[in-house]
Structure formats: structure tokens, C-alpha cells
Amino acid sequence: MTSLIMIFGATGDLAKRKLFPSLYRLFERGRLSEQFAVVGVARRPLSNDEFQQSVKDSVQSALGKDERIDEFASHFYYHSHDVTNSSSYQTLKTMANELDEHYHLGGNRIFYLAMAPEFFGTIALHLKSDGLTDVKGFKRLVIEKPFGHDLASAKELNEQIRTAFSEDEVYRIDHYLGKEMVRNIEVIRFANAIFEPLWNNRYISNIQITSSETLGVEERGRYYETSGALRDMLQNHMMQMVALLAMEPPIKLTTDEIRAEKVRVFRAVRNVEGEDVHNYFVRGQYGEGTIDGKQVPAYRDEPMVDKESNTETFVAGKVMIDNFRWAGVPFYIRTGKRMTTKSTKIVVQFKDIPMNLYYQTEKELNPNLLVIHIQPEEGITLHLNAKKAGGHLDAQEVKLSFANSGVNAMNTPEGYEKLLYDCMRGDATNFTHWDEVAYSWNFVDKISAVWEKSKENFPNYESGSMGPKAADELLEKDGFFWWPVTDLDVDNCQGK
Ligand code: NAP
């Protein structure tokens, strides 16, 4: 795909760890045309040679490869520029026009903002006023999360970027939508006659989505203190997974149709406000504890974190979708740092059969579960009941597993690679539309408004645990429990 890719924040962590290696993989797979150029923008002074060397180093350290790396890196150029400095955009424009001509790029431009969000508005306004968006070809803006801090700031940011780009030119990244198994949710649902007819409140009792990390806040204390798990994870990634699980089948697999169905889900999500927040949502903050045999500090003892911080590092909640398909089915979601294991999984729990004729030796029949393993392992497991060999009327649980491993997994492109490729092709399906962002902030703002008014008794969960007790009680009062994510691992399922 011919285009000029301008990366703002080209000396930063995201560019080095994700963007350069992803671009290289696209180049290596022949998905980048010979006609492409990348302009890196950041403040520190670097020559083109130094910048190209940093690109090569990033690719080598991420992928351990260097085939055709010199050829790849020769397409990279650097411009030292403070994005708040108005005068320097003209130089950037001249550089972009020259590269456009040199590589015959047809005026196609992708502006990737890999920088702190406070700069997004300024950059977008300058790109327009200084004529960088004045092109013959397509112009697209890729922005990273967080998209605002709440609905009001997201609206303000959106208005700023919309002065220079139309909605269909804005690609808001939610990197979960680049994950293979998140993209697979639609296929599993809409390509299987055995699931779609059961995918509703008549047959499903509840759906659980867990995204747990073992890492703490690391070096991101300053940012995290203003964000917390609700804004950092739930507003975007978790709610996107809810939408994909709950949406109606689109009439066609086009961007507009899929997004419209997702927006319909967001519109049906029950808003929770005031005192009710305590009945639907639980927050937590990690104390010290042990992970992988190592003692780790409490959140409040992490660098750049307030000693009396009220920021949540864990959130669990019950999301209700008030429409015909989902009325009465809770979607339980939880996410947190410093938990027992690093894992993202979806568990779809089907309702019990009307009458149990078969008993397992020690316990009642297990409900059928469909487990979608998002990361680190990728796959699907279906939990069924079958006759116990040699037994009489005993049933036992059997698990049918598909693990996306071996050749398939090796060839699975990394999330950012897929999203960059989608953007180059002009496919915005796996990026979030403004309406999704707005509905989701509206939902989350009502929860944070209640939480900000009162201090929680933090820390309330030990590092290395699965969160505070109240998160378990949230399900217990509905007669459910969190399926233990480690027991559900694909490896634990095979051959059983
Ligand atoms: P970072 O490592 O701090 O990099 C920031 C970049 O911005 C650097 O290249 C910095 O270079 C440049 N910069 C800062 N101020 C500038 C200015 N006034 N003018 C021009 N350039 C300036 O940040 P990051 O981790 O890459 O994150 C970038 C964005 O991606 C953030 O919005 C973050 O939330 C988001 N994000 C990151 C990750 C990740 O894995 N890192 C994941 C998801 C989302 P100079 O110092 O040379 O100017």
C-alpha cells in the first residue's frame, strides 16, 4: 500500500517495541509496497542515520531478524520537532511533499500519534492549518488510548481532531481489537450453527470476562494515578469484548454494519449510578504479596504513587444489557494488576439442563462452558458431560480444545501489525467509532463519580491473589462464582 507514515513520538517506547517491528513484519510479508516512507518525529536531535539505526535495533531486539533490514530502514527519515512549536510544521510539510514525490506516494498519508494524549489536539489542528492534510490521496489519523479521561474531555479531544479529520479518517486504536482471538469472537458466534441459536438468555446463564496481569504498575505510576483500572482497561478493552459478545449478527461484514451493531449494544447497557454502583461494581488496590516466589511491594509503595492513593488497580463489575436477547444475563467483568496469573479469558456459562439424570461420583453435573482463551494462550475449549468409562450412570466432564499453536500461531501476525495493515487498507472495522467511545465513557463516568466521592479501605487484596473478597461476593449473591482461570487453561484441558 503506498503511503507516507508519519509517526509522532518516534523515539518512544510504543514506536520501538511495537510500531517498527510491526512495520518490518509487514515489509517482510510483502504487505508494504516498495513505495512507502516513514517520517519519525520527536524532540531529541537525531540524524537520519541515527534514527535508521534505532529502527534496526528495535526490529532486531523485538524479532531477532535482520534480513533486508538495511533496505527496510532506508525508507525511514527523521524530523526533530517540538509539536507545540508552530513554526516547525512547515519544514515537516516540505519534507513530506518531497518524500511524496520521491516515492510516488500519491499523496496518501497516515499520521500516527504515538505520544501523550495531551498533544493530540494541538497536532491535529496544526496538521490542518499548516496544510499537511491538504493532500491528493487519503489522509488518516491513528490515535492511541487513552481517548480522554472522561466523556467531557473525550468530547473536547474529538472536536479538536474532527476539525482536521472526518470520523471515517480517524482510527482509534484499541489493541485488544487486534488480538487474534478477539477477532475470532465474531467467527465463533456467527459461523457455527451450534452456538448462535443458543446465544441468548434462554440458554446462557452468565458470561465472565477476566483480564488479569501479574505485573504491577511498574514505571507508569504517574499516569496510572490519574487513570486506574476502570479508565485504563474497563472503559475500552473490556467493554469492547462485551460488545462483540453481545452484538446482533450484522447484515454484512462491513465496517459500518459491525460498528452499528456494537453501538446498539452500548445503547442497551444498563447505566448504573448513585448508590447502585456499590451493588454492581467492586474496586480494589493491591497490597504487598508474593508473585512467582518473589516478594512485591504494595501499590502505594510503587514509584510516583501517592502513599494514600485511592486509585483502583482492580475492578470487577456486573454489566446488564437490557434488550430482548440478553435481559437477565449478567456479563461479569474483572481486570486487575498483580493478580495470580497473566490471562485474558471469556467464559460463557450455559444454563443447567432441566433435570439431572446423571450424577458424577462426587458432585453435580457441570454446566456446559465455552471458554475463549484470548491471551497468552489462544484457543477455544468446550466443556461437555459424557459417560464415565466403565461407570453405570455416571457422567464426567470432557473438554474439547483447540489451541492456536504451532505453525498457525507462528504465522499469527501481532496485534499492531494487523491494525497497521487494516489502517493502510482503509478498513476501520477493528478501531473504535466515536459513538462507542462516548457511550462507554458515559457508562464509566457514573461509576467514577461515586468512587471519587468516597475513599475505599485500600489496600484490599494481596498481590498474587485474584482480587478482593467483594469481587467473589458480587457473583455469590447471584448464585454464581468466578470460574478459576488457571483450571481452564488449554494445557490443563487437553487429554482430560
Ligand atoms: P513515551 O515512551 O513516553 O514516548 C513519548 C514520545 O513522544 C517520545 O518519542 C518523545 O520523544 C515524544 N515527545 C514528547 N513530547 C514531545 C513534544 N513536545 N514534541 C515532540 N515529541 C515529543 O510514550 P509511549 O509509551 O511510547 O506512549 C505513547 C502513547 O501510546 C501514549 O499515548 C500511551 O498512552 C500510548 N500507549 C503506549 C503503549 C506502550 O506499550 N508503550 C501501549 C498502549 C498505548 P522526545 O522526548 O525525543 O521528544
Side-chain angles (χ1 to χ4, degrees), residues 35-281:
Q35 309 299 334
F36 79 98
V38 179
V39 176
V41 178
R43 285 168 307 183
R44 70 198 67 174
L46 287 182
S47 66
N48 275 348
D49 285 347
E50 285 168 325
F51 180 53
Q52 290 179 0
Q53 189 56 48
S54 97
V55 171
K56 291 188 217 173
D57 293 345
S58 314
V59 172
Q60 268 149 351
S61 81
L63 306 173
K65 290 187 177 179
D66 57 7
E67 251 171 71
R68 293 175 66 206
I69 189 87
D70 289 324
E71 184 190 343
F72 171 72
S74 72
H75 290 256
F76 285 69
Y77 299 82
Y78 187 75
H79 177 58
S80 162
H81 161 68
D82 186 327
V83 296
T84 58
N85 175 3
S86 310
S87 59
S88 178
Y89 283 89
Q90 279 304 325
T91 326
L92 196 55
K93 181 183 174 186
T94 311
M95 188 174 179
N97 288 345
E98 283 169 7
L99 289 171
D100 193 6
E101 206 164 299
H102 179 76
Y103 286 99
H104 310 290
L105 303 177
N108 294 331
R109 280 184 197 168
I110 294 174
F111 302 95
Y112 198 120
L113 309 191
M115 293 188 57
E118 68 245 37
F119 296 113
F120 294 172
T122 314
I123 299 173
L125 292 174
H126 272 295
L127 291 178
K128 182 171 170 72
S129 62
D130 288 295
L132 276 110
T133 52
D134 210 355
V135 287
K136 288 200 303 285
F138 62 69
K139 59 181 199 303
R140 295 179 187 143
L141 181 74
V142 186
I143 39 184
E144 278 292 337
K145 76 164 192 187
F147 196 85
H149 179 73
D150 50 21
L151 181 58
S153 58
K155 265 188 184 157
E156 191 183 327
L157 171 58
N158 200 47
E159 276 159 22
Q160 287 171 329
I161 61 176
R162 290 291 303 277
T163 56
F165 296 89
S166 61
E167 176 60 32
D168 60 4
E169 292 172 333
V170 180
Y171 290 68
R172 296 179 194 82
I173 292 237
D174 184 318
H175 69 268
Y176 269 58
L177 299 181
K179 293 187 188 298
E180 188 64 17
M181 290 308 295
V182 173
R183 292 190 173 200
N184 214 336
I185 293 173
E186 266 176 70
V187 186
I188 294 167
R189 286 192 52 194
F190 303 133
N192 290 299
I194 60 165
F195 292 132
E196 194 46 32
L198 307 182
W199 211 260
N200 55 51
N201 53 9
R202 257 189 290 163
Y203 300 103
I204 289 178
S205 78
N206 73 91
I207 294 184
Q208 303 178 10
I209 310 173
T210 299
S211 186
S212 59
E213 289 179 64
T214 51
L215 286 179
V217 73
E218 310 296 296
E219 305 305 315
R220 294 170 70 225
R222 192 193 308 270
Y223 158 74
Y224 205 80
E225 276 287 90
T226 63
S227 159
L230 185 69
R231 294 188 171 100
D232 190 48
M233 286 293 295
L234 191 133
Q235 183 272 335
N236 35 52
H237 312 314
M238 305 299 281
M239 291 306 285
Q240 282 293 326
M241 286 191 278
V242 169
L244 289 169
L245 287 162
M247 68 191 246
E248 293 299 316
I251 52 174
K252 270 191 245 139
L253 287 179
T254 59
T255 304
D256 288 350
E257 296 297 346
I258 293 174
R259 282 171 155 190
E261 294 303 341
K262 282 168 70 190
V263 169
R264 247 190 276 276
V265 174
F266 282 108
R267 285 171 50 201
V269 167
R270 184 185 303 170
N271 279 321
V272 184
E273 43 197 321
E275 280 308 297
D276 236 7
V277 167
H278 304 297
N279 298 327
Y280 284 78
F281 276 84

Side-chain angles (χ1 to χ4, degrees), residues 289-322:
T290 313
I291 290 189
D292 293 334
K294 268 199 232 132
Q295 185 68 18
V296 293
Y299 175 70
R300 288 178 177 182
D301 294 327
E302 300 277 18
M304 289 174 291
V305 170
D306 185 343
K307 290 279 174 227
E308 299 197 354
S309 174
N310 197 37
T311 303
E312 78 287 351
T313 60
F314 172 96
V315 52
K318 172 160 87 168
V319 177
M320 298 303 291
I321 298 167
D322 291 328

Side-chain angles (χ1 to χ4, degrees), residues 383-418:
H383 294 229
L384 304 171
N385 293 300
K387 183 179 170 298
K388 194 170 183 175
H392 176 51
L393 278 181
D394 284 348
Q396 68 169 357
E397 191 183 33
V398 292
K399 296 166 185 171
L400 309 182
S401 284
F402 160 69
N404 187 17
S405 56
V407 177
N408 206 353
M410 265 157 53
N411 287 329
T412 302
E414 219 257 335
Y416 271 92
E417 183 186 338
K418 278 184 271 188

